[in-house]
């Protein structure tokens, strides 16, 4: 293949991959309501957690700090709103400015955030975690 053809194919591929950027996910329950399924309990590892997509382009952080204990938090960091990462090494971390939070309570451990993550009520219903 000629160099010009290779460059042209690369340009066409790059342009066809472009378009409207995906909307940025926000923290919270979105359009979900009490009783709506959040995630199977089995999908949340003990000592860690998962970011769960919710209706309305939102996400929740669901954690299992101890076996059988489930908590959910709005993953928007109270500092500037960046979405935090699931717990690793016993701490939830905001990748933007390094704030850290307790995975059992959502309480701030280290700033610049000055308040903790907002808890969202969930309960176990059968094998699923649902909004309470």
């Amino acid at each position: 293949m000629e160099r010009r053809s290779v460059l042209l194919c690369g340009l066409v591929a790059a342009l066809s991959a472009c378009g409207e950027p995906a909307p940025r996910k926000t923290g919270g329950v979105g359009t979900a309501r009490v009783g709506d399924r959040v995630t199977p309990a089995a999908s949340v590892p003990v000592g860690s957690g998962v970011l769960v997509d919710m209706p309305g382009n939102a996400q929740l952080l669901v954690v299992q700090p101890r076996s059988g204990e489930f908590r959910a938090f709005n993953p928007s960091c109270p500092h500037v709103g960046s979405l935090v990462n699931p717990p690793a090494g016993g701490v939830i971390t905001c990748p933007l400015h390094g704030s850290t939070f307790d995975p059992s309570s959502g309480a701030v451990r280290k700033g610049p955030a000055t308040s903790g993550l907002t808890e969202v009520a969930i309960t176990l219903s059968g094998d699923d975690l649902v909004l309470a």
Side-chain angles (χ1 to χ4, degrees), residues 5-128:
S5 296
V6 170
L7 291 174
L8 182 58
C9 287
L11 177 62
V12 169
L15 290 175
S16 65
C18 295
E20 291 298 315
R24 182 175 175 259
K25 294 227 184 263
T26 60
V29 298
T31 58
R33 295 180 287 171
V34 170
D36 285 353
R37 179 178 178 263
V38 175
T39 192
S43 71
V44 185
V46 176
S48 189
V50 293
L51 284 168
V52 177
D53 289 336
M54 299 298 290
N57 205 41
Q59 286 187 321
L60 280 181
L61 173 61
V62 181
V63 298
Q64 186 177 188
R66 287 170 279 291
S67 183
E69 178 187 329
F70 298 95
R71 309 285 293 269
F73 301 101
N74 179 329
S76 295
C77 179
H79 178 232
V80 292
S82 178
L83 297 183
V84 299
N85 293 323
V91 67
I92 297 169
T93 303
C94 177
L96 191 59
H97 294 116
S99 293
T100 60
F101 305 90
D102 182 276
S104 294
S105 65
V108 66
R109 286 188 177 171
K110 181 186 94 167
T114 58
S115 60
L117 300 174
T118 302
E119 187 163 4
V120 174
I122 59 171
T123 191
L124 187 60
S125 177
D127 294 333
D128 291 327

